[in-house]
Amino acid sequence: MFAHEFRKKSVKIIENNGGNNNRSNYNNKTKPKWNVEILINFLIIRNMKHFAKYDCLIGTLLIESDDEFITKIDLIKDIKLLENIDFEQNSLVFSDIKLWLDAYFVNKQILINPKIKFIGTKFQKLVWEGLQKLAKFGQTITYKDLANYVISKNKQSKMSCQAIGNAVGKNPLLIIVPCHRVVGTNKTLTGFSCGIDAKIKLLEHENILLDKSGDNRLKWKIV
């Protein structure tokens, strides 16, 4: 049962058990019990995780939702980990992210971003926000670029690129928050949570879709 369906049922139960002005009903000891049970069950369902999967050129993505927002997209390296997961392929929030991923992997006409929610520290959220704003399709940025973004937002005098790198490495929303487009200052390919091979495939994919060639191609170095 999805959260929005549960809300409707909860409201009906509250109305049926406490919707009149009869004082004897108001004092009925079972009424608070019903409300507490409804509240507890609602909070449980509200915090439930929902899952879908998506197969793409870098492997199988596991998509996580709270039934309203996409909260995590990760590459699954061991398919056996998916065996005991119940997938919900047809919910609206999963339909939206799949349309977005289809657009990304099939053509460069990226749709409006689906509803996502960052779960992390204030600093991490700022870095992930910077990734979305600076690292456009078919372009790369550096950790220094992200550091300058954070400096401008926080009005700081300096920012550690290592701290930026740690936040980028904890990005929970693969591809849609494009941490694969971050390279070193000298265009070197640095760490990527899904592995350097996956990073190269995504960058090459964007090169091909944009028909980039020669000096216009995205360039990087492997060290």
mmCIF file of all heavy atoms in Angstrom, residues 83 89 104 131 147 160 174:
data_model
loop_
_atom_site.group_PDB
_atom_site.id
_atom_site.type_symbol
_atom_site.label_atom_id
_atom_site.label_comp_id
_atom_site.label_asym_id
_atom_site.label_seq_id
_atom_site.Cartn_x
_atom_site.Cartn_y
_atom_site.Cartn_z
ATOM 1 N N GLU A 83 18.131 -10.495 -5.294
ATOM 2 C CA GLU A 83 17.234 -11.649 -5.290
ATOM 3 C C GLU A 83 16.101 -11.538 -4.282
ATOM 4 O O GLU A 83 14.989 -12.014 -4.534
ATOM 5 C CB GLU A 83 18.042 -12.928 -5.024
ATOM 6 C CG GLU A 83 18.972 -13.315 -6.172
ATOM 7 C CD GLU A 83 19.792 -14.548 -5.865
ATOM 8 O OE1 GLU A 83 19.724 -15.031 -4.704
ATOM 9 O OE2 GLU A 83 20.497 -15.028 -6.775
ATOM 10 N N GLN A 89 7.747 -1.645 -10.023
ATOM 11 C CA GLN A 89 8.164 -1.060 -11.284
ATOM 12 C C GLN A 89 7.200 0.001 -11.818
ATOM 13 O O GLN A 89 7.567 0.795 -12.678
ATOM 14 C CB GLN A 89 8.303 -2.165 -12.339
ATOM 15 C CG GLN A 89 9.292 -3.264 -11.963
ATOM 16 C CD GLN A 89 10.735 -2.791 -11.933
ATOM 17 O OE1 GLN A 89 11.239 -2.404 -10.898
ATOM 18 N NE2 GLN A 89 11.381 -2.805 -13.069
ATOM 19 N N TYR A 104 18.238 9.821 -21.218
ATOM 20 C CA TYR A 104 19.686 9.980 -21.081
ATOM 21 C C TYR A 104 20.439 8.948 -21.919
ATOM 22 O O TYR A 104 21.414 9.275 -22.608
ATOM 23 C CB TYR A 104 20.101 9.840 -19.617
ATOM 24 C CG TYR A 104 21.613 9.851 -19.438
ATOM 25 C CD1 TYR A 104 22.324 11.043 -19.415
ATOM 26 C CD2 TYR A 104 22.326 8.651 -19.344
ATOM 27 C CE1 TYR A 104 23.705 11.052 -19.282
ATOM 28 C CE2 TYR A 104 23.705 8.645 -19.214
ATOM 29 C CZ TYR A 104 24.388 9.845 -19.190
ATOM 30 O OH TYR A 104 25.755 9.849 -19.078
ATOM 31 N N LEU A 131 27.006 20.074 -8.350
ATOM 32 C CA LEU A 131 27.160 19.112 -9.435
ATOM 33 C C LEU A 131 26.060 19.262 -10.477
ATOM 34 O O LEU A 131 26.314 19.245 -11.690
ATOM 35 C CB LEU A 131 27.129 17.686 -8.871
ATOM 36 C CG LEU A 131 28.421 17.118 -8.300
ATOM 37 C CD1 LEU A 131 28.150 15.804 -7.575
ATOM 38 C CD2 LEU A 131 29.447 16.908 -9.402
ATOM 39 N N ALA A 147 34.664 23.493 -5.579
ATOM 40 C CA ALA A 147 35.117 24.214 -4.383
ATOM 41 C C ALA A 147 34.778 25.697 -4.501
ATOM 42 O O ALA A 147 34.305 26.314 -3.538
ATOM 43 C CB ALA A 147 36.624 24.026 -4.198
ATOM 44 N N SER A 160 38.651 23.098 0.959
ATOM 45 C CA SER A 160 39.499 21.953 0.670
ATOM 46 C C SER A 160 38.906 21.118 -0.471
ATOM 47 O O SER A 160 37.745 20.704 -0.402
ATOM 48 C CB SER A 160 39.643 21.077 1.924
ATOM 49 O OG SER A 160 40.117 19.793 1.596
ATOM 50 N N LEU A 174 23.304 8.502 -8.512
ATOM 51 C CA LEU A 174 24.158 8.297 -9.671
ATOM 52 C C LEU A 174 23.490 8.794 -10.958
ATOM 53 O O LEU A 174 22.286 8.628 -11.143
ATOM 54 C CB LEU A 174 24.460 6.800 -9.794
ATOM 55 C CG LEU A 174 25.399 6.366 -10.907
ATOM 56 C CD1 LEU A 174 26.804 6.888 -10.642
ATOM 57 C CD2 LEU A 174 25.415 4.848 -11.016
#
